Amino acid sequence: MKKTKDILKKGMAHIEAFFKLLTIKKWLILTFSVLLVTIITVSFFKVSSNHDFYATQELSYDYSNQSLSQAYNQTLYSELKQNYIENNIQDTQVEETVTTLEMVGDFVDVNDVNYGEIVQDYQSQKSNSNDILLLKENNDITWTHNESESGLYYLAIDFYEIQDNINQAQIEISINGEPQFYEAQTIVLKSKWVYDTYDFMLDRYENEIMPSSHKVKEWTYQNIYDYRGMHPGYFAFYLEQGDELSISYVNQEVLIGQIYYVQNESFMTYDNYLNMYPTANVVEDEITVSARNILYRNNPSIRLRTEQDPSNLYYDTQFLRLNTIFGDSWQNSGDEIAYEIDVEEAGFYHLSFKYRQYMIKDMTVFRKIRINGEVPFDLFESYAFPYTTNFINRTLSDSDGESIKVYLEAGTNEIVLESVNYPYRDTIETIQYVMSNIQALALDVKRYTSGGTDKYRDWDIEAYFPEASDNITSWARLLEETYDVLLPLSDIEQPSEIANLMVAAKRLDNIASDINKLPSMMVQFSDGDSSINQILGDLMQRLLRTNLEMERMIVHGDVKIEKPYANIFVRFFEGTKRLVLSFVNNPYSASDRNDEDITVWVNHPRQYIEVMQALIDQYYQGNRKVTLSQMPDQNKLILANASNQAPDLAIGVDHWIPYEFAIRDAALDLRQFSGYEDTVNNFTKGAMIPYVFQDGVYGLPETQDFWVTYYRKDILNSIGITEIPQTWEEIIEILPLLQSYGMNYFVPLAQYSGLKPYVATLPFIYQFGGDLYASDGMSTAINSEETLEGITLMSDLFTLYNLPKYVPNFYNHFRYGLLPIGISNLSTYILLETAAVELDGLWEMDLHPGVYNEELDEIVRYSSVGGQSSMIMSSTEYPEESWDFLNWWMSTSVQSEFAFLLQSTYGQAYFWNTANIEAFKNISMPDEYKQIILEQWEYGVEASRIPGAYMVERSISNAWTSIVFDGTNPRQALDEAVRVSNREIIYKMAEFGYTENGEIIKEYIVPSIYNIDQWLTEVDHD
């Protein structure tokens, strides 16, 4: 023992002596060496694969859940499916064809000017001479069900898409005039989109850009199924003899051929599949297909991105190469991607994917896999891809851990991966059920308390809502059961993604234990950012997003496939090179210019610029080359102009900027150019107002906003509001009912905490017939009787009628149901369309409220439309060429093509709200919304600009604040606003040479909605 102690003592002494000899430099070298060795060692143990199997079939086909949301006015398919099972309603074995001769509708024959060739093609395919039908608005296609056997029938349809919309065609199927279930109201007919070219183009900076896509127009056979990927198999319709079936228009016209009664989708087991090929062997081959080599996809929003990893099939150190499916674009159920695989020898192959799934933490997403048009066996109906933050390899395996064998014929084979959500359906429906019940109970309690939330007040909730506590407790148990059901879909003991189910259950238990405190706990229960409703809604939204990124697919035999990452030395070397190159490689930099080119600074994101540049390079036929540069900051235009470094054109600047340049002689008057009048006829008249200075017009609107009414159908219907208010008087009439439930109406004034800009105040001025300035521009006119009436209403809404004075985010309050109706703009539309999945089918849009004008016998609905704009700088050496380009850019054909390319390349979230009215009519958007926006734009208006206009804007805002918060009389507040505004206007007019010593020495013309027509014509300045 002593000897051991002596050895240890000597050893420690040597170690101590070693460290004492270390200098700071040696310490740093030692630390770096240890760190480097550790990193290198760990890199060899980096996770490179996950081949675990997850059983999904039981969850996919479980329809025992009775907890279904009642927020929809129509029966959900799950409820109908439960009824079929409980009542033992069986599938029929009927397989029949309903020819077009048996249908009633709008027929099209071979002699039709527009569709004759399509009819002829279909007749050739079907070997008959039957005409086809055109499905259009208010013209249904119907037929009578003549089969004697009552039971469940499954349908298929032949269709031909005739429109180029980004949105896929939808139809409604009704039985005896009514859809049997909610989902039957929007049956999606799948599109097929292919690249225009498979040779990826390079931009002028040698970076790859996404090729544009086009819709393949062909006759397509499709079974009627749940495109949302929630229900496996085909939709079942209960039919009896004599029932009338009808197909109705939803969003676009389509040609309809034959209808078919078919058998439901079913799949053999994997063992039976293997037994079909008793003599087949695994082929020892390896075929790698890059994820970018897409044969087709059904959603043009699915796009590629660059993953800078040297192990990828397509990679360049300096330039961007598109090599990976972007997960955020392939996250909606029903989206599918197809690939072609060429194999030399028929036999069994394994399938592997280099992928990443980072959206649903610790959980899986699912893909339905079809081989040559068919799901070969049950395991491929919803195959799981588990969570991983890094790209890894996944070889598809069975429940025994063996690599799955897929039989491929020699030659070309097609493999399709479709995003589905079957195993999460029950969870999503349970969450919807709990959320809708929480919302309903919250509304009832708020009605009882008149929206009161005072925690020091006693409420007898138990007496008025005796079942509330038990119901809340049952919801908590339901969430806990759901959590347990999901655990097999994760390899983590406590998956963080679904942890909020347990959090919500615990909070529900706490509320149920002291139910009388519920009114003061609404922020936790249903209303707040961290309420139970909110955390459940966020979870549901994530479960609906089946995000998956993929870099390659590998078809192979029993061979070891390449690791999904490069070794540490390669990664370090490539990373260092990219770091060095980043200092010199800066495409679309505003500092790069060629004096022989037309230089255009663009205030849009890079994705927009790439599509713009591709359009220009391909279609613009001007005399000079056009070079786009990304504008670092639109305010730097002033500095660039002062230093003689201004571009020839500026695109995408705020709508008030052209005036600021015009008054300083830094922008060109566009009325002097040929074609001006034809161009401006494409714009809303009111949108042209801010670009006017004196006799000239110095800019064009590029994009245009819209302010409309958004409302929650489910909530308003539940409280008895069936007619959407069209005037401010009607809004005031519904406020007591809304507020009795603790809800309210939203107007845009509430989203601005400080200055209330013109966008929020203009409607109240112009709807009442007021104006901002006197006709000579030397004073403001906001103290007129008309404006006083508008400002008084604008204030009364917040003082007398108790509208919320500050709402930081209308979208969130709209989702929670706190503000189920209100006025908002394009940004809310995009969020509702792309992010609020839980509100699908529960919201609508209507016109901006206005003031009824007896003389005109109409509701005057003026609202702001200001967006982004374009202008030509006065310093340009190429004015005619610059106008030629600007005129081309804002033309209907180019704006339509740009809007289409933007969405077909980068997805539906890249909505281009072009100011060109004719181009906007071609935008991919539901027709009912488009018509509302176009009608609202007829009342589009913007504030005219004069020297000192900013002070008028500020004074109106200050007047509102004084009236609402200080109780100032509206007349007194406006008189003070006029005094301050006029003083600033006179000062600025003197600065720009319009007055001297208070006397007008030069006339100033003020444009407004009442006289804008005089600037919409061309003039000759020669």
Side-chain angles (χ1 to χ4, degrees):
M1 188 69 180
K2 184 178 179 183
K3 186 175 182 180
T4 303
K5 286 183 178 179
D6 289 340
I7 293 173
L8 290 174
K9 190 175 181 180
K10 288 180 180 179
M12 292 300 296
H14 285 303
I15 293 172
E16 186 177 352
F18 170 76
F19 281 107
K20 284 182 178 180
L21 291 173
L22 288 178
T23 62
I24 294 177
K25 182 178 179 180
K26 290 180 179 179
W27 262 110
L28 291 174
I29 294 173
L30 178 63
T31 303
F32 178 77
S33 300
V34 171
L35 182 63
L36 183 61
V37 170
T38 303
I39 292 174
I40 293 173
T41 304
V42 169
S43 72
F44 287 104
F45 296 95
K46 186 177 179 180
V47 175
S48 63
S49 63
N50 183 340
H51 310 314
D52 295 343
F53 176 80
Y54 299 84
T56 63
Q57 279 192 297
E58 185 176 348
L59 281 175
S60 297
Y61 286 90
D62 181 12
Y63 282 93
S64 62
N65 179 20
Q66 298 293 322
S67 304
L68 298 174
S69 171
Q70 301 302 312
Y72 301 89
N73 294 326
Q74 187 75 31
T75 302
L76 292 173
Y77 183 71
S78 291
E79 186 176 347
L80 206 62
K81 188 78 172 178
Q82 290 170 4
N83 181 61
Y84 295 157
I85 296 170
E86 290 171 2
N87 294 286
N88 197 32
I89 300 176
Q90 299 294 317
D91 294 352
T92 63
Q93 301 304 310
V94 175
E95 293 186 70
E96 293 288 343
T97 299
V98 180
T99 68
T100 56
L101 296 176
E102 302 171 65
M103 304 179 199
V104 176
D106 187 7
F107 281 94
V108 177
D109 61 26
V110 292
N111 298 316
D112 188 272
V113 175
N114 297 316
Y115 310 121
E117 291 184 5
I118 301 173
V119 177
Q120 192 172 17
D121 177 44
Y122 187 69
Q123 291 176 346
S124 175
Q125 291 182 31
K126 299 302 177 183
S127 300
N128 62 42
S129 58
N130 298 342
D131 296 337
I132 61 173
L133 295 107
L134 173 63
L135 179 64
K136 57 186 180 181
E137 194 168 8
N138 301 319
N139 203 333
D140 295 351
I141 296 171
T142 62
W143 75 96
T144 301
H145 178 70
N146 292 319
E147 299 296 330
S148 59
E149 183 180 1
S150 298
L152 301 182
Y153 288 79
Y154 302 90
L155 303 176
I157 187 173
D158 289 334
F159 71 93
Y160 189 105
E161 283 194 86
I162 56 179
Q163 293 181 273
D164 291 318
N165 290 359
I166 295 292
N167 299 322
Q168 302 188 84
Q170 298 176 18
I171 59 173
E172 175 183 300
I173 297 180
S174 301
I175 314 297
N176 299 321
E178 295 290 337
Q180 282 194 342
F181 47 91
Y182 176 78
E183 293 85 347
Q185 297 175 104
T186 51
I187 301 291
V188 175
L189 303 179
K190 291 195 300 185
S191 302
K192 180 185 287 188
W193 291 82
V194 299
Y195 293 144
D196 290 343
T197 174
Y198 286 88
D199 295 325
F200 281 57
M201 293 174 57
L202 302 180
D203 64 18
R204 60 183 59 185
Y205 304 103
E206 302 300 319
N207 296 315
E208 283 185 343
I209 57 176
M210 271 288 292
S212 57
S213 303
H214 67 271
K215 183 186 291 186
V216 177
K217 294 183 179 180
E218 61 184 7
W219 280 104
T220 303
Y221 170 92
Q222 179 179 313
N223 296 291
I224 302 302
Y225 75 112
D226 181 18
Y227 180 80
R228 296 184 309 143
M230 302 289 282
H231 298 280
Y234 307 145
F235 278 139
F237 295 87
Y238 179 76
L239 299 177
E240 297 178 343
Q241 188 174 23
D243 283 343
E244 183 180 84
L245 287 81
S246 60
I247 297 176
S248 304
Y249 168 100
V250 173
N251 68 337
Q252 58 181 279
E253 295 181 355
V254 289
L255 297 174
I256 302 295
Q258 296 178 162
I259 310 293
Y260 307 90
Y261 294 123
V262 298
Q263 294 301 301
N264 193 16
E265 190 176 35
S266 61
F267 311 109
M268 69 180 73
T269 64
Y270 177 55
D271 289 337
N272 288 341
Y273 174 78
L274 293 179
N275 292 334
M276 290 176 59
Y277 307 98
T279 61
N281 297 312
V282 175
V283 178
E284 298 303 318
D285 197 359
E286 181 175 336
I287 302 137
T288 301
V289 177
S290 171
R292 78 188 221 155
N293 295 330
I294 299 172
L295 177 63
Y296 65 84
R297 61 204 194 279
N298 65 348
N299 185 348
S301 298
I302 300 172
R303 63 188 189 277
L304 304 171
R305 69 169 184 86
T306 298
E307 176 69 19
Q308 288 287 60
D309 185 337
S311 70
N312 288 341
L313 294 174
Y314 291 88
Y315 169 79
D316 189 279
T317 306
Q318 181 174 1
F319 305 112
L320 301 180
R321 297 292 177 258
L322 298 171
N323 51 26
T324 302
I325 300 292
F326 184 34
D328 288 350
S329 71
W330 193 24
Q331 63 178 0
N332 295 321
S333 295
D335 287 353
E336 65 182 34
I337 303 176
Y339 294 95
E340 273 188 347
I341 304 292
D342 290 318
V343 298
E344 294 182 358
E345 181 181 348
F348 283 127
Y349 292 83
H350 304 308
L351 292 183
S352 295
F353 301 90
K354 179 180 173 181
Y355 84 100
R356 177 170 68 175
Q357 189 277 106
Y358 57 84
M359 178 64 76
I360 308 180
K361 190 172 184 181
D362 300 333
M363 298 296 290
T364 54
V365 300
F366 310 96
R367 293 295 183 268
K368 176 187 281 190
I369 302 173
R370 296 198 298 272
I371 310 295
N372 296 322
E374 301 289 339
V375 176
F377 44 81
D378 53 358
L379 301 184
F380 275 10
E381 186 179 21
S382 55
Y383 200 86
F385 287 81
Y387 174 78
T388 169
T389 55
N390 298 312
F391 279 89
I392 62 172
N393 291 328
R394 179 159 176 77
T395 300
L396 307 189
S397 306
D398 62 16
S399 57
D400 297 323
E402 298 293 326
S403 297
I404 290 175
K405 301 173 184 177
V406 176
Y407 188 84
L408 298 180
E409 298 288 352
T412 300
N413 296 266
E414 182 180 287
I415 299 179
V416 177
L417 286 84
E418 178 185 353
S419 171
V420 295
N421 237 334
Y422 306 149
Y424 288 145
R425 186 202 71 254
D426 188 73
T427 298
I428 291 166
E429 290 178 342
T430 297
I431 291 174
Q432 283 181 321
Y433 168 79
V434 172
M435 288 177 64
S436 65
N437 278 281
I438 288 174
Q439 186 73 59
L441 178 58
L443 287 176
D444 289 341
V445 171
K446 287 174 181 178
R447 187 173 188 179
Y448 161 63
T449 63
S450 295
T453 59
D454 187 352
K455 66 179 180 180
Y456 298 109
R457 183 171 178 178
D458 294 329
W459 303 98
D460 194 358
I461 300 298
E462 284 182 302
Y464 285 89
F465 306 96
E467 297 179 353
S469 181
D470 290 343
N471 287 340
I472 292 174
T473 301
S474 70
W475 302 337
R477 300 292 78 76
L478 191 59
L479 294 178
E480 289 174 348
E481 292 168 9
T482 301
Y483 177 85
D484 292 337
V485 166
L486 291 178
L487 288 178
L489 296 179
S490 175
D491 49 11
I492 304 295
E493 187 175 340
Q494 295 181 328
S496 58
E497 189 63 57
I498 59 174
N500 275 342
L501 289 173
M502 301 302 290
V503 172
K506 185 175 180 180
R507 289 188 186 178
L508 288 172
D509 283 333
N510 290 338
I511 291 171
S513 65
D514 194 2
I515 193 66
N516 286 330
K517 294 291 185 183
L518 178 56
S520 63
M521 301 175 73
M522 282 297 171
V523 171
Q524 300 176 44
F525 188 58
S526 63
D527 293 352
D529 288 343
S530 59
S531 66
I532 296 168
N533 245 17
Q534 176 62 13
I535 62 176
L536 289 178
D538 289 344
L539 171 60
M540 182 176 71
Q541 187 168 315
R542 288 195 297 275
L543 291 178
L544 286 166
R545 301 300 190 190
T546 60
N547 184 303
L548 185 72
E549 296 200 321
M550 187 169 71
E551 191 271 332
R552 71 183 68 178
M553 174 171 61
I554 310 165
V555 177
H556 60 96
D558 294 323
V559 296
K560 185 177 181 180
I561 60 177
E562 181 183 346
K563 285 189 175 182
Y565 52 82
N567 66 57
I568 189 172
F569 303 106
V570 173
R571 295 202 303 271
F572 176 77
F573 181 62
E574 288 295 315
T576 302
K577 287 198 295 182
R578 289 201 303 270
L579 176 64
V580 173
L581 290 169
S582 68
F583 293 102
V584 296
N585 187 28
N586 187 19
Y588 300 111
S589 171
S591 60
D592 294 336
R593 62 187 300 162
N594 185 329
D595 290 340
E596 297 300 316
D597 296 349
I598 298 175
T599 303
V600 183
W601 284 11
V602 184
N603 190 34
H604 292 309
R606 177 170 173 155
Q607 295 95 323
Y608 290 68
I609 298 175
E610 288 178 348
V611 175
M612 288 176 67
Q613 190 70 69
L615 261 179
I616 292 166
D617 293 344
Q618 186 172 1
Y619 296 114
Y620 181 59
Q621 302 295 323
N623 296 328
R624 291 190 177 275
K625 187 177 179 182
V626 176
T627 300
L628 304 183
S629 297
Q630 189 169 22
M631 197 181 303
D633 181 354
Q634 64 180 8
N635 294 316
K636 290 186 178 179
L637 269 174
I638 298 174
L639 299 177
N641 186 67
S643 59
N644 295 320
Q645 294 296 316
D648 296 296
L649 292 95
I651 287 179
V653 296
D654 287 337
H655 65 275
W656 52 268
I657 284 184
Y659 174 85
E660 298 299 327
F661 279 75
I663 200 171
R664 293 168 175 83
D665 198 28
L668 283 185
D669 178 10
L670 305 182
R671 295 182 72 192
Q672 64 182 293
F673 295 112
S674 176
Y676 165 83
E677 188 170 343
D678 291 336
T679 297
V680 297
N681 282 338
N682 291 321
F683 304 127
T684 302
K685 290 182 179 181
M688 295 298 299
I689 294 172
Y691 311 115
V692 172
F693 170 60
Q694 292 296 67
D695 292 325
V697 175
Y698 292 83
L700 294 179
E702 186 193 30
T703 62
Q704 189 162 288
D705 207 351
F706 53 82
W707 292 85
V708 293
T709 301
Y710 295 90
Y711 63 94
R712 289 278 299 272
K713 294 190 298 184
D714 56 330
I715 295 177
L716 296 189
N717 287 336
S718 70
I719 65 176
I721 299 176
T722 56
E723 296 291 333
I724 303 305
Q726 300 298 312
T727 66
W728 295 107
E729 289 181 354
E730 292 175 1
I731 290 170
I732 291 169
E733 288 175 3
I734 69 168
L735 287 179
L737 181 57
L738 281 173
Q739 291 168 357
S740 70
Y741 284 95
M743 297 182 290
N744 221 319
Y745 190 97
F746 172 80
V747 295
L749 280 159
Q751 75 185 46
Y752 303 102
S753 58
L755 174 71
K756 310 297 181 184
Y758 278 144
V759 69
T761 58
L762 280 183
F764 295 95
I765 296 172
Y766 283 102
Q767 287 181 11
F768 283 89
D771 208 343
L772 291 172
Y773 317 109
S775 59
D776 63 1
M778 299 300 162
S779 62
T780 181
I782 59 175
N783 61 344
S784 68
E785 291 301 321
E786 294 83 2
T787 302
L788 175 63
E789 189 177 359
I791 298 297
T792 300
L793 172 65
M794 188 171 77
S795 308
D796 286 349
L797 289 172
F798 297 89
T799 54
L800 296 181
Y801 303 111
N802 201 30
L803 262 59
K805 296 180 179 67
Y806 180 60
V807 178
N809 190 311
F810 169 62
Y811 165 71
N812 281 336
H813 285 70
F814 189 75
R815 286 179 66 193
Y816 308 154
L818 294 174
L819 295 171
I821 182 170
I823 304 163
S824 194
N825 63 344
L826 168 69
S827 60
T828 297
Y829 169 75
I830 293 175
L831 287 169
L832 290 172
E833 281 285 287
T834 60
V837 182
E838 74 276 16
L839 296 185
D840 283 354
L842 299 180
W843 67 273
E844 285 288 351
M845 180 191 293
D846 207 338
L847 295 170
H848 191 291
V851 176
Y852 178 70
N853 186 305
E854 292 185 0
E855 293 181 10
L856 300 174
D857 191 27
E858 66 174 292
I859 299 173
V860 179
R861 304 176 185 269
Y862 286 123
S863 65
S864 177
V865 292
Q868 293 169 298
S869 63
S870 304
M871 63 178 175
I872 301 175
M873 309 301 289
S874 62
S875 58
T876 179
E877 296 180 5
Y878 312 113
E880 290 294 338
E881 291 88 344
S882 296
W883 165 251
D884 182 69
F885 170 72
L886 181 57
N887 193 31
W888 173 86
W889 169 240
M890 290 312 303
S891 64
T892 299
S893 59
V894 173
Q895 286 292 294
S896 299
E897 181 70 6
F898 178 69
F900 176 79
L901 287 176
L902 200 59
Q903 287 193 305
S904 65
T905 304
Y906 293 110
Q908 288 182 286
Y910 286 76
F911 183 86
W912 182 246
N913 53 317
T914 176
N916 185 310
I917 301 297
E918 293 304 313
F920 186 84
K921 291 177 181 178
N922 300 324
I923 294 287
S924 291
M925 185 185 207
D927 286 343
E928 61 269 27
Y929 298 154
K930 193 186 301 182
Q931 292 306 315
I932 288 170
I933 293 166
L934 289 170
E935 187 175 345
Q936 183 58 47
W937 274 350
E938 293 178 10
Y939 290 98
V941 67
E942 262 308 317
S944 50
R945 299 286 161 176
I946 67 169
Y950 59 87
M951 187 56 71
V952 180
E953 182 177 38
R954 188 183 307 167
S955 296
I956 295 173
S957 175
N958 291 341
W960 179 89
T961 301
S962 178
I963 297 168
V964 172
F965 291 101
D966 300 334
T968 305
N969 179 277
R971 171 63 75 183
Q972 290 178 325
L974 283 181
D975 285 345
E976 175 61 17
V978 168
R979 185 187 66 81
V980 174
S981 298
N982 286 347
R983 183 178 61 189
E984 186 68 12
I985 290 172
I986 292 299
Y987 172 76
K988 297 301 291 185
M989 284 292 185
E991 179 182 333
F992 287 102
Y994 290 94
T995 64
E996 186 176 331
N997 298 322
E999 298 293 329
I1000 300 174
I1001 61 174
K1002 189 164 60 172
E1003 183 183 7
Y1004 190 94
I1005 307 173
V1006 180
S1008 73
I1009 193 62
Y1010 309 116
N1011 65 356
I1012 186 61
D1013 286 320
Q1014 69 185 75
W1015 283 276
L1016 303 183
T1017 57
E1018 221 168 278
V1019 295
D1020 186 0
H1021 286 206
D1022 293 337

